[in-house]
Amino acid sequence: MRKKLGCLHAHHSNIEYIEQAFQNIENVELVHFVDPGLIQQVSKGADGLAFKVKEQLKWMESCNMDAI
């Protein structure tokens, strides 16, 4: 059975790197989540970033990922 691995990216151009890294791994489906706004949150400091990352992880978890 294939496992779903959720990958969070700050830019869509990063997807290719993860796809290449997992190209020889069987039974893993990569599900990509992209949020360019994540970089904007970094500029707000640690509090803004921590909130945004927690929000994203909850969203990914709700999509029935086997791992994030």
Side-chain angles (χ1 to χ4, degrees):
M1 182 162 84
R2 290 184 71 146
K3 298 289 184 179
K4 289 184 181 180
L5 175 59
C7 305
L8 178 59
H9 306 279
H11 193 269
H12 65 86
S13 63
N14 296 323
I15 293 172
E16 182 180 343
Y17 298 112
I18 300 299
E19 289 284 341
Q20 288 177 2
F22 281 83
Q23 69 184 352
N24 296 322
I25 308 294
E26 295 181 21
N27 297 323
V28 173
E29 175 186 353
L30 298 175
V31 180
H32 300 282
F33 298 83
V34 180
D35 183 3
L38 200 56
I39 296 298
Q40 298 300 321
Q41 290 295 325
V42 171
S43 66
K44 292 183 179 180
D47 291 338
L49 180 61
F51 174 79
K52 185 65 174 173
V53 170
K54 285 180 184 179
E55 185 179 71
Q56 289 291 18
L57 292 173
K58 283 183 179 183
W59 175 52
M60 292 169 72
E61 183 181 32
S62 74
C63 295
N64 298 316
M65 296 294 107
D66 293 301
I68 297 174

